[in-house]
Amino acid sequence: MFRRSWRHVATAAAALLAAASLVACSDDSADSQDLSENRVGAMENYAIGSQFKATEPVSFSVLYNNHPNYPLKNDWLFWSELKSRTNVTLEPVAVPLSDYNQKRSLLIGAGDAPLLIPKTYPPDVHAYVSSGAILPVSDYLDLMPNLKDKIEKWNLKPEMDTLRQQDGKFYLLPGLHEKPWHDYSLAVRTDILEELNLAVPKTWDELYTVLKAMKAAYPDVYPFSDRWSQPNPAGNLLNLLAVSYGLEGAGWNFQHVSWNAGTQKFEYTGATEQYKQLLQYLNKLVAEKLLDPESFTQTDDAARQKLANSKSFVIGANAQAVVNDYRPDLAATNPKAKIAKIPLPIGPAGEINPASRLENGMMISSKARDSKNFVAMMQFVDWLWYSDAGQEFARWGVEGTTFVKDAAGKATLAADVDMIGLNPGAPKHLQKDFGFANGVFAYGGKPELVQAFFSPEEQEFQQVMNARTPKSPPPPFPLSDEEREQVSLWETPLKDHVYQATLQFALGQRDFGQWDAYVNELKSKNMDAYLDTVNKAYERYRDEHN
């Protein structure tokens, strides 16, 4: 709901070992450090299930990602209720959503960053580690019982290990999900399926069969015309196919390397046999006029217009696009049309859920470690972002004011409060008027919390996806500063060439007989050196920390 997330998922390790190794991989634990001068305001017996409340009033600065859909208000109930419950006043340093990453970098570089720096994606952390500007938060997990508990109970150690730097520590407190939730897929005109007596396609091969039948019935139509192709050509479609073929990501989530569990090595994603196969699939759709060739470059508006005018029947989708874009578009042109998001088609990788259980998260300024309130701050962060009560508060607000609970404990919005159209016409809005369900504070948690504002239709979609096996994350391969600087010089030319060749192969402008030549072109752009660096970093980390 609040993000298109950085995505890696994991198989589980034993819960007890997870907690032990999290501490073991760090240089120190909080227990082994002298924090006697940093406990002002901290609770003596803070634990899982405790309501955190500082023993005296404290305040912490926070970088605030000011979203245009619900601009910051100082009189939000969120602020006053948070202070009442925790004795903490947050001092937001507001930055427009459009400038957030740039402003964050400037503030950290100048030494002026707030103590709490949320809305940070894992790859963004790399730039700040060597400067010492942010805290190695893995050293202080003993101060965060709710976070440790969720890592253990939800078997999140493999995912957490992907955050580790070369020193074995991690510098980001990520949002944690008990279950992965995958949003992006395809939307299909279900009235056309019914007209042609076709079942909802469950696999990419079945989608091909459905598109063939649609083309036979409507020869002047490209059955599939896609969106989300700018600035990355076929950004969403390529990523969906990549994860379905067992790769880490492509298109708008292009990942240079993918893990080969058989060889125990990383391979260059754009040069793998799987990538070739997914391009051959796309090429077949284009060659048979089942996929609109403009799908790779057209604007979203152009794709939506084709769907609305029945010039196409299939399009990339997420939950909000179906409700906010496609159904209103079709209602204006074809009121009898019906469209729905289908579960992600299954590919050669099998029935997997490719979504991550980690979300963007929190960096903490290294200045915080010297604060007399440091322990209280870590307890507060643990309560608001990781406790069940804190997560419910951040998302739902105040019982009796913004939401109510039934006898079984199920929460629903108060009748006079709206959120994404659940109470249309209600005079108040959960985000705009109260500050709850705010992407700075509300992310992660149990499925019933994360999916609280999902429609019944979307919850059914998630049930199908949650029944699938979570995709295992690749092992960590933290690079040194020198290695990171070197590979950054190789990445853009490599990615640009993959994008260019992807279009050529998919559109039939280049024959697959030239695949080996294409791979050699990648080698001329330092692909082998890139892979050598990554695999050596993986082996180094494996040998030092396992």
Side-chain angles (χ1 to χ4, degrees), residues 8 238-239 241-243 245-251 253-260 265-279 494 498-499 502 515 518-519 522 527 530-531:
H8 287 309
L238 282 166
N239 189 54
L241 280 164
V243 297
Y245 277 75
L247 300 172
E248 294 303 324
N253 187 36
F254 180 75
Q255 303 292 321
H256 285 275
V257 294
S258 292
W259 177 246
N260 186 323
K265 288 186 178 296
F266 284 95
E267 299 175 334
Y268 195 77
T269 298
T272 59
E273 179 63 23
Q274 298 100 305
Y275 199 75
K276 178 183 179 182
Q277 290 173 3
L278 75 85
L279 291 182
L494 282 167
V498 171
Y499 280 5
T502 293
W515 183 261
Y518 154 68
V519 172
L522 291 176
M527 180 184 77
Y530 188 104
L531 284 174

Side-chain angles (χ1 to χ4, degrees), residues 491-504 510 517-522 524-525:
E491 284 181 339
T492 298
L494 282 167
K495 182 169 69 173
D496 287 349
H497 196 65
V498 171
Y499 280 5
Q500 179 186 32
T502 293
L503 282 176
Q504 292 171 339
R510 190 168 187 180
Y518 154 68
V519 172
N520 286 330
E521 290 159 9
L522 291 176
S524 72
K525 299 181 184 299

